[in-house]
Amino acid sequence: MPFAQINPDSRVFLFLQGPHGPFFSKLGRSLRTTGAKVLRVGFNAGDEAFWFDRDTYIPYRNPPEDWPATLTDLIIANDVTDIVLYGDIRPIHARAIETAKSRGITVHVFEEGYLRPWWITYERGGSNGNSRLMDLSVEQMQLALEQSDTQTPPPPSHWGDMRQHIFYGALYHGLVMFLNHRYRSFRPHRELPVSKEFRLYFKRLALMPIHRLQRSWATARVRRGGFPYHLVLLQLGHDSSVQAHSDYSGMSDFLEQVISGFAEGAPLHHHLVVKEHPLENHREPLRKRVREMATAHGISNRVHYVPGGKLAKLLDDASSAVTVNSTAGQQVLWRGIPLRIFGRSVYDKPEFVSQQSVAEFFATPAAPDSDAYKRYRQFLLETSQVPGGFYSRRGRRQLLRRATDMMLRANDPYQSMMNDTAAMTPQLKIVE
């Protein structure tokens, strides 16, 4: 069934901040070829460097508190119909969404994939804890799937683009650090100065070979240990999913709750494996704090720290996993491994995420309903998960093949599937 589209000639897309690198520029070019008008607001030298057209670039150099009024003026002056952004939590984007909703403007939100690393997420109005998925039950998803004739696109053939992600992060922050003299009012949405962000990205890039050896050694020690173990999947403490969709200000408080619960409830022969996020840049001394907490609870010989790397090898033999709300939890559920989360997440459904206390979970973790999770996953693949990636050339090409058409549709990905079947199952309809 073809999807209804709004005439591109009547659309004016205003881009705000995107992922590091050229993806938003490529997407803007693609939309312009449809006949739509495309504009970009840039807030720093990094935004400016990665936009393709000087004539459609609008530098914002005023103080942050002037942004809502300036945005309203831009919307009125240019008859803006759509706003495009990456991540919905950073202050300039949160204020833009408020303005857009008050004026009936469509907000296109890109985010890292809920089923990463092979997909990215495309939604409207909000993502993560602000996603429409938060209000949809697995039963509603199943009813929609039964009426759907959508073909699930295959995943990319390439694993991911971590090196490119780190490279563009370092380049972006370098541009902001050295060339931002024309954007003196710019304030980053994270608490660290841009200079320190740049140094952390550059250090991470330079030390990748050493980190790879450290990961291999730590992973091998766990896999050859012969003990049952539970995985702790760390996130970036400054990430919006932690800051906005949990009660933690960073990873240390989360680790204290997990380690104390493990010490109380886990069998004495079980171990705890703390896995660092692949992009962790050590703003917090996490390894040191894990060691101190384990010692304080008398379990230092049963707690292991793995510095980043891919998850699959550690998941193969894990007894359970815990996280705040990392998308890595989806890999846990895909394998049928018990999962306990500590924040708000789009996959926090009672059918497959444990509701036990921390100590009870480590003692006897409740297994997920794997069939329910597979239905949930299939629903995501047929709606908001788009094959490809932001950072590698190959990933961008694959992503652009679908993203432009999805943005031009009259309905968002969830409405496109669910409202088509609302006549037969009225409870499916998503209300605006």
Side-chain angles (χ1 to χ4, degrees), residues 190-191 197 201 236-240 242-243 249-250 281 283:
R190 294 170 179 166
E191 75 281 1
E197 286 268 13
Y201 269 105
L236 299 176
H238 61 269
D239 191 84
S240 64
V242 175
Q243 295 296 317
S249 59
N281 51 26
R283 300 172 181 216

Side-chain angles (χ1 to χ4, degrees), residues 44 66 92 188 287 307 316 353 431:
N44 57 54
D66 294 346
I92 57 174
R287 186 196 296 265
D316 287 342
V353 173
V431 179

Side-chain angles (χ1 to χ4, degrees), residues 293-342:
M293 293 175 193
T295 300
H297 288 282
I299 55 172
S300 58
N301 62 328
R302 297 164 55 202
V303 178
H304 312 266
Y305 191 91
V306 178
K310 294 178 181 177
L311 182 58
K313 290 181 180 180
L314 289 171
L315 272 180
D316 287 342
D317 298 310
S319 299
S320 76
V322 298
T323 186
V324 176
N325 50 19
S326 171
T327 56
Q330 305 252 18
Q331 296 185 50
V332 178
L333 294 169
W334 175 245
R335 287 169 166 78
I337 298 171
L339 177 68
R340 170 74 156 80
I341 70 171
F342 292 73

Side-chain angles (χ1 to χ4, degrees), residues 149-160:
D149 58 1
T150 302
Q151 296 296 313
T152 304
S157 58
H158 189 63
W159 172 256

Side-chain angles (χ1 to χ4, degrees), residues 7 21 23 39 50 69 94 123 153 180 206-207 209-210 219 245 247 257 272 282 297-298 326 336 346 348 367 384 424:
N7 180 11
F23 171 69
L39 301 169
F50 286 115
E123 296 178 289
N180 222 45
L207 295 179
I210 296 174
T219 302
H245 304 303
D247 295 328
Q257 188 173 358
L272 191 68
H282 306 115
H297 288 282
S326 171
V346 294
D348 185 11
S384 61
M424 289 180 282

